[in-house]
Amino acid sequence: MGYKVVVVGATGNVGREMLNILDERAFPIEEIAVLASRRSLGTEVSFGDRTLKTQDLATFDFTGWDIALFAVGSEATKEYAPKAAATGCVVIDNSSLYRMDPDVPLVVPEVNADAVLGYTKKNIIANPNCSTAQMVVALKPLHDRAKIKRVVVSTYQSVSGTGKEAIDELWNQTKGMYVPGQEVAPSVYPRQIAFNVIPHIDVFMEDGGTKEEWKMMVETKKILDPAIKLTATCVRVPVFVGHAESINIEFEEFLDEDEARDILREAPGILVIDKREPGGYVTPVECVGDYATFISRIRQDGTVENGLNLWCVSDNLRKGAALNAVQIAEVLGQKALKKG
């Protein structure tokens, strides 16, 4: 006996990845439906060895379905997620819409799996921002040991976090650099992304930070500990898939780098690759298609009391989005629905 599962936004990067991961992890499915907007109606998507045709989100009846994985923007989510939830179908939402709603749990299963049980207030569970998800997986086991006071994080985020148009823009701009007459002006981003870095993700806020930086701060507090102070600088880089982060952590008590390395090696969802030699670390290219959050460059920071630095890399379409959503569905099944 399995679950009746709906994937909303099945033609997008994250939606397709959700289908891949549901199949890879053998999620117990009795029936599956794939939905998209009217303009993508009838588009075929792969699910294991099957090919599925998308149905119209606007007319779909969620009655009798167990779980809906939403991978569409906030506007569509705002309209359709409450309708799905009202039928009794539990929505796992990948947009930013519900993340800070006090009645909606924000969940990274390796960090706060029990929070899933709060879904009953609105029948909705929120997936965190991709840059937050991989970071809190790394922070959680260290916080349990030495209690984190403050985090300073700089991100190096791939263009896939913006969507297919951004991937195309990086590809076409890169080609255009070498072919006279085929230069491509920025349209998705405010500056050229090929051979460049852009210190701007999402909209600017009144304090000079961006919404992406704000998300990392407030989501970490909600998922891990409201007492943690966090400041972020989020940067878009010319990488197709895989987010990297340089994380500086200040603890309440001393934590030796060797002990930190051992703790992270034992932690769920983490792979430590940390050799102090050329190539003894992980870059975004190596993490693509992998479930893990990779940690490298673990070392003491002698400029603050009780400080550590580390390098964190993960496939943003997987742990940062699709994988985390499927993991939430797995926990929801184990702790609440109990059908699979």
Side-chain angles (χ1 to χ4, degrees):
M1 188 176 180
Y3 296 95
K4 296 181 70 176
V5 177
V6 184
V7 176
V8 182
T11 59
N13 290 336
V14 174
R16 290 176 188 270
E17 203 63 46
M18 284 174 171
L19 289 167
N20 290 338
I21 292 169
L22 286 167
D23 177 59
E24 287 172 13
R25 293 174 74 89
F27 187 82
I29 290 176
E30 178 185 318
E31 188 177 352
I32 189 162
V34 290
L35 310 186
S37 63
R38 197 157 287 160
R39 71 176 184 272
S40 300
L41 195 60
T43 300
E44 293 186 340
V45 294
S46 297
F47 175 60
D49 57 4
R50 296 164 58 190
T51 300
L52 308 175
K53 277 193 174 181
T54 56
Q55 301 178 55
D56 186 2
L57 170 59
T59 59
F60 187 81
D61 184 0
F62 288 88
T63 304
W65 293 83
D66 298 305
I67 299 169
L69 303 173
F70 269 64
V72 291
S74 293
E75 286 304 310
T77 300
K78 187 175 183 179
E79 182 174 358
Y80 295 108
K83 292 178 181 178
T87 69
C89 179
V90 183
V91 171
I92 299 172
D93 176 34
N94 197 59
S95 81
S96 62
L97 184 65
Y98 292 105
R99 289 174 187 160
M100 298 315 297
D101 186 323
D103 291 333
V104 174
L106 181 63
V107 178
V108 176
E110 297 92 338
V111 179
N112 63 336
D114 287 344
V116 161
L117 297 173
Y119 81 94
T120 53
K121 293 178 182 176
K122 287 192 173 178
N123 248 19
I124 298 172
I125 302 168
N127 213 30
N129 189 38
C130 49
S131 51
T132 305
Q134 68 186 70
M135 181 180 65
V136 295
V137 169
L139 295 182
K140 165 66 173 172
L142 302 177
H143 184 60
D144 287 347
R145 162 61 181 82
K147 197 161 188 186
I148 295 170
K149 288 172 59 178
R150 180 172 183 258
V151 176
V152 181
V153 57
S154 296
T155 71
Y156 307 77
Q157 294 178 229
S158 66
V159 296
S160 58
T162 308
K164 184 181 183 301
E165 292 89 353
I167 293 172
D168 292 342
E169 181 157 299
L170 172 57
W171 175 252
N172 291 324
Q173 278 185 355
T174 302
K175 288 194 299 181
M177 297 288 286
Y178 295 100
V179 184
Q182 291 190 19
E183 296 84 1
V184 176
S187 60
V188 175
Y189 296 118
R191 289 280 191 272
Q192 172 186 310
I193 185 61
F195 302 99
N196 199 16
V197 297
I198 303 172
H200 168 203
I201 300 178
D202 213 322
V203 297
F204 275 94
M205 304 180 76
E206 285 187 7
D207 66 356
T210 65
K211 194 170 183 182
E212 184 83 357
E213 292 156 357
W214 173 82
K215 288 176 197 170
M216 292 193 76
M217 183 264 291
V218 295
E219 291 175 16
T220 299
K221 287 176 176 287
K222 183 173 179 178
I223 296 167
L224 190 55
D225 189 336
I228 292 174
K229 295 178 180 179
L230 185 143
T231 182
T233 300
C234 295
V235 182
R236 192 71 69 188
V237 297
V239 170
F240 287 112
V241 178
H243 288 357
E245 298 171 346
S246 171
I247 307 174
N248 176 265
I249 312 164
E250 186 178 357
F251 298 92
E252 288 196 355
E253 59 184 274
F254 179 76
L255 178 59
D256 177 75
E257 62 187 37
D258 292 326
E259 184 183 355
R261 197 173 289 108
D262 290 340
I263 289 169
L264 291 167
R265 281 200 178 107
E266 296 298 319
I270 290 175
L271 275 177
V272 175
I273 298 178
D274 188 19
K275 297 179 181 178
R276 294 178 174 179
E277 60 187 44
Y281 40 78
V282 172
T283 67
V285 169
E286 293 94 53
C287 81
V288 175
D290 207 297
Y291 288 153
T293 295
F294 293 90
I295 306 296
S296 308
R297 303 292 319 280
I298 303 164
R299 61 204 189 279
Q300 287 330 134
D301 173 13
T303 68
V304 295
E305 195 172 1
N306 306 328
L308 276 180
N309 288 305
L310 56 86
W311 175 251
C312 175
V313 178
S314 190
D315 182 330
N316 56 293
L317 297 179
R318 291 210 148 202
K319 185 54 194 171
L323 172 62
N324 200 74
V326 173
Q327 288 177 305
I328 291 171
E330 291 170 345
V331 172
L332 177 68
Q334 293 159 7
K335 291 183 177 290
L337 303 184
K338 299 182 179 178
K339 283 179 69 174

